[in-house]
Amino acid sequence: MTSLAVPEHPWLLPGELVVPADSGRPRPRRTTRDWIVDSLAFLVSVVWVLFATADALSPDPAMATPLPHDWMTGADAVIGLVCCGLLWWRRRWPLGLMVATTPLTLFSMAAAIPLLIFYFTVVVHRRTAVAVAVTGVGLVTNLVFSWARPDPSMPYWATVSWGVVLSFAVLAWGMFVRARRQLIVSLRERAERAEAEQQLRVTQARHLERTRIAREMHDVLAHRISLLSLHAGALEFRPDAPADEVARAAGVIRGSAHAALQDLREVIGVLRAEDDGGDAPEPPQPTLADLPALIAESRSAGVRVNVSDSVASPGEVPAALGRAAYRIVQEGLTNARKHAAGAAVTVDVAGGPGNGLTVAIGNRWPVGAPAGGTLPGAGTGLVGISERVTLAGGRLAYGRDDSGDFRLAAWLPWPA
């Protein structure tokens, strides 16, 4: 994704638009555009100083009444050139230069253009209240200048009026430039914020998807590996078993190992596809119709499973609801094989549209430790089931019941 923080052609923008002042990043002193603007402002100001000085020294001045002495005219020219040089620092200290040079507006004609540029810079780079205050001071000095050095061809009030018009024109222009720059900065901030929020949403979605895949992997692989352990434990416990039973157990182990590897390969394939940005098709998810096969797998491993299925309209069970019920039963059977080997397991599934679906798995509480020891667990199976039930809008309860047996029960909503 292309970042919006750096413009495509930064040399065409002023420095405060290339890097906003509140961004915390270093800002260039001047861009190419700033150098061009400052050079033009300096050249125009120097030309104005020369023109105003020549007009003041002429026998018939056209712009303003000349100063009483020629040396004053020369001093005014020097003041104008100094103000031209100060233009190169107007971006760093606009208000300070404006305050320092404001007294010159009472009498100096040569410094008029540089002072006007200082005023424009203050309007662009400072708050509106500061710009209005500077404008008010300028209007007062305009009254004094028009009285001290009146225009030979216009009356006093006409000169004052032109000064007021010029001041308000510069104020309006500067406020427009400032508002436009603030709009650009705000639009950029909104774009960067939207980009950051989009990246955050993508990251969160990826994290949630990985969590879902990890939960599926735990449910599937824990079931497969518990079957493997159960059959291997039977072979270890009965080394003198008949050859046909050993062959059958070895076949079940082999089939379960292949199924576990296939499940693991599918999960890893999905994760790699996410890392590569691809859209890999997801493997078919189990539903409530796959419960008989799940029960048969456990029975083939020697687990006594008693099933009570009283689901009304089983063909109308939503896919998400059936998948959640399947995973709950799978986790219950896996836990029974892990922690209560040899105990009988009861599976009750009941419900219908409008009443919800109830899934309950129970087994006798184990007494003592199994001969082969318990299988290690990550401790996240019931946590994952709890998250799954919560996301489905249901309720989950597990633990020892009144009779001392372990019971895992869930209720899932089934809309009418």
Side-chain angles (χ1 to χ4, degrees):
M1 185 178 294
T2 304
S3 175
L4 300 173
V6 180
E8 184 177 1
H9 301 292
W11 61 275
L12 292 175
L13 299 175
E16 58 268 21
L17 291 186
V18 175
V19 179
D22 56 351
S23 64
R25 291 172 292 177
R27 187 168 62 182
R29 290 283 301 276
R30 285 187 180 87
T31 62
T32 304
R33 180 257 185 200
D34 292 339
W35 279 106
I36 294 174
V37 171
D38 291 349
S39 299
L40 289 176
F42 176 76
L43 293 176
V44 170
S45 299
V46 170
V47 170
W48 170 260
V49 171
L50 299 177
F51 176 76
T53 303
D55 179 74
L57 294 176
S58 64
D60 188 15
M63 293 188 297
T65 302
L67 294 170
H69 305 285
D70 290 343
W71 67 268
M72 292 183 178
T73 304
D76 189 19
V78 172
I79 291 174
L81 292 176
V82 171
C83 291
C84 292
L86 293 176
L87 288 174
W88 294 103
W89 286 272
R90 67 186 178 90
R91 297 180 185 273
R92 181 177 298 183
W93 302 297
L95 186 59
L97 291 176
M98 186 69 213
V99 172
T101 57
T102 294
L104 302 178
T105 59
L106 296 172
F107 62 89
S108 178
M109 175 61 74
I113 296 299
L115 296 177
L116 202 61
I117 295 175
F118 288 150
Y119 170 51
F120 176 79
T121 306
V122 170
V123 175
V124 171
H125 294 277
R126 291 296 180 264
R127 296 181 294 111
T128 302
V130 176
V132 171
V134 171
T135 302
V137 174
L139 294 178
V140 174
T141 57
N142 176 52
L143 296 174
V144 177
F145 180 85
S146 300
W147 174 79
R149 302 189 64 179
D151 192 307
S153 59
M154 286 192 299
Y156 172 75
W157 291 111
T159 305
V160 170
S161 299
W162 277 110
V164 172
V165 170
L166 182 61
S167 298
F168 280 108
V170 174
L171 177 65
W173 184 22
M175 292 181 66
F176 169 76
V177 172
R178 176 177 173 81
R180 181 175 176 273
R181 292 184 181 181
Q182 289 178 336
L183 175 62
I184 294 174
V185 171
S186 65
L187 292 176
R188 175 188 295 169
E189 290 176 351
R190 290 175 58 185
E192 291 179 350
R193 186 164 56 250
E195 181 181 5
E197 291 175 353
Q198 175 64 19
Q199 292 177 350
L200 180 61
R201 284 193 294 269
V202 170
T203 302
Q204 291 175 343
R206 183 180 292 113
H207 175 71
L208 292 176
E209 184 64 16
R210 286 178 179 271
T211 303
R212 183 186 67 82
I213 294 173
R215 186 167 57 240
E216 294 286 340
M217 183 169 62
H218 172 273
D219 295 342
V220 173
L221 293 184
H223 170 70
R224 300 291 186 190
I225 294 174
S226 65
L227 289 176
L228 284 173
S229 176
L230 192 62
H231 284 285
L235 290 178
E236 182 183 11
F237 184 72
R238 295 188 57 191
D240 57 344
D244 57 342
E245 291 186 10
V246 173
R248 185 172 60 86
V252 173
I253 292 174
R254 180 175 178 274
S256 297
H258 285 181
L261 288 175
Q262 181 63 28
D263 293 335
L264 183 61
R265 187 180 299 111
E266 290 175 352
V267 171
I268 293 177
V270 173
L271 291 176
R272 286 177 175 173
E274 284 189 352
D275 291 336
D276 297 338
D279 295 328
E282 290 191 2
Q285 297 295 318
T287 62
L288 196 64
D290 297 312
L291 269 183
L294 179 65
I295 301 298
E297 283 184 352
S298 295
R299 286 173 174 170
S300 66
V303 180
R304 291 172 295 167
V305 183
N306 301 317
V307 181
S308 173
D309 187 353
S310 56
V311 177
S313 304
E316 299 177 4
V317 177
L321 179 62
R323 181 165 59 253
Y326 180 94
R327 294 304 186 193
I328 293 170
V329 174
Q330 186 181 56
E331 179 64 22
L333 293 175
T334 301
N335 287 338
R337 288 193 297 269
K338 282 183 179 181
H339 307 293
V345 182
T346 59
V347 176
D348 296 325
V349 183
N355 296 324
L357 185 67
T358 301
V359 181
I361 303 96
N363 58 267
R364 298 302 300 267
W365 191 265
V367 178
T374 59
L375 293 176
T380 58
L382 292 177
V383 175
I385 292 298
S386 178
E387 292 177 354
R388 188 187 297 275
V389 172
T390 301
L391 291 175
R395 301 185 299 270
L396 178 70
Y398 56 87
R400 300 187 70 171
D401 58 12
D402 296 337
S403 61
D405 296 340
F406 183 84
R407 181 178 175 83
L408 170 65
W411 177 86
L412 301 171
W414 184 352

